[in-house]
């Protein structure tokens, strides 16, 4: 057994890549008071605010580190769809983003809800909508990555949806709380070293 030292100021995560190679059978969507709204050309500031709201508890920072030009290039591509989950008060409380990099496969980039909504069935509702949109005609595979820093139930959630683990990698990166991309109070379950 080998241990890898993570230098001070950095964070490490085990990333699991999962794939689904067969379109899941259609199933009824659970009733939900939330709604999904497509952001056809999301503005960087609005996108970053939602990305941080749903991702800060898990140290998501990649999109926060991009300048406006790079972020627009990532989220305003024709092959990428960005959707906000909206609650009854009109507040963005979740994010769904996926990309069809080629006609025959799709990458589920982000599927997240604010922590207050997890564990209440909203994830199954959101995944049901995602599956209906990602599995367009000609798609033979959907891929997603999740890491050990994500919600503790993320990996088992994806597996229950029919995704199969195919690869495991280790990712290290500078702690985004030390650079100011995220507040120091983000992800208190992950110590700053």
């Amino acid at each position: 057994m080998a241990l890898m030292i993570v230098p001070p100021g950095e964070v490490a995560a085990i990333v699991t890549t999962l794939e689904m190679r067969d379109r899941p059978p259609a199933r009824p969507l659970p009733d939900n008071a939330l709604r999904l709204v497509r952001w056809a050309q999301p503005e960087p500031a609005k996108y970053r605010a939602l990305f941080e709201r749903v991702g800060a508890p898990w140290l998501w920072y990649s999109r926060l580190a991009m300048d406006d030009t790079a972020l627009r290039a990532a989220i305003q591509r024709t092959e990428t769809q960005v959707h906000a989950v909206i609650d009854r008060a009109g507040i963005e409380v979740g994010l769904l983003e996926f990309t069809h990099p080629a006609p025959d496969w799709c990458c589920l980039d982000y599927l997240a809800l604010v922590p207050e909504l997890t564990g209440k069935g909203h994830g199954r509702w959101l995944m049901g909508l995602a599956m209906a949109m990602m599995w367009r005609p000609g798609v033979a595979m959907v891929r997603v990555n999740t890491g050990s820093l994500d919600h503790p139930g993320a990996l088992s959630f994806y597996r229950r949806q029919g995704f199969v683990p195919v690869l495991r990698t280790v990712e290290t990166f500078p702690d985004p709380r030390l650079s100011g991309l995220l507040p120091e109070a983000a992800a208190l379950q992950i110590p700053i070293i």
Side-chain angles (χ1 to χ4, degrees):
M1 174 172 43
L3 294 176
M4 182 178 95
I5 294 175
V6 179
E10 292 197 8
V11 178
I14 297 171
V15 177
T16 302
T17 300
L18 301 102
E19 293 179 351
M20 183 182 292
R21 296 211 169 248
D22 295 309
R23 183 184 183 115
R27 58 184 178 195
L29 286 176
D31 289 335
N32 204 296
L34 303 175
R35 60 190 171 94
L36 194 63
V37 175
R38 180 159 185 203
W39 285 356
Q41 295 289 312
E43 282 304 311
K46 188 173 183 176
Y47 178 92
R48 280 191 197 97
L50 179 55
F51 187 88
E52 182 174 344
R53 190 174 310 134
V54 300
W58 321 115
L59 291 188
W60 291 7
Y61 76 94
S62 61
R63 298 297 175 83
L64 304 176
M66 295 177 170
D67 65 26
D68 284 359
T69 301
L71 183 56
R72 278 191 183 98
I75 63 176
Q76 294 183 357
R77 298 177 291 180
T78 56
E79 61 268 19
T80 297
Q81 287 191 35
V82 176
H83 302 262
V85 177
I86 311 292
D87 70 7
R88 288 182 180 177
I91 298 169
E92 291 95 5
V93 293
L95 174 66
L96 169 62
E97 182 178 332
F98 57 88
T99 302
H100 285 92
D104 63 342
W105 77 282
C106 183
C107 181
L108 175 54
D109 301 313
Y110 297 102
L111 185 140
L113 296 163
V114 294
E116 298 81 8
L117 294 181
T118 60
K120 298 178 180 173
H122 301 298
R124 285 191 313 276
W125 167 80
L126 184 56
M127 181 61 84
L129 292 172
M131 288 294 180
M133 290 183 284
M134 292 186 303
W135 281 97
R136 66 186 188 192
V139 169
M141 188 259 296
V142 174
R143 179 179 292 146
V144 65
N145 290 322
T146 190
S148 57
L149 300 181
D150 283 343
H151 186 282
L155 180 59
S156 61
F157 172 77
Y158 289 126
R159 293 183 75 185
R160 284 192 310 274
Q161 303 310 306
F163 285 93
V164 176
V166 296
L167 179 68
R168 188 176 300 121
T169 55
V170 175
E171 174 186 29
T172 62
F173 53 91
D175 192 321
R177 297 168 294 188
L178 296 176
S179 66
L181 286 172
L182 289 172
E184 282 193 25
L188 291 175
Q189 74 279 13
I190 304 163
I192 297 174
I193 299 177

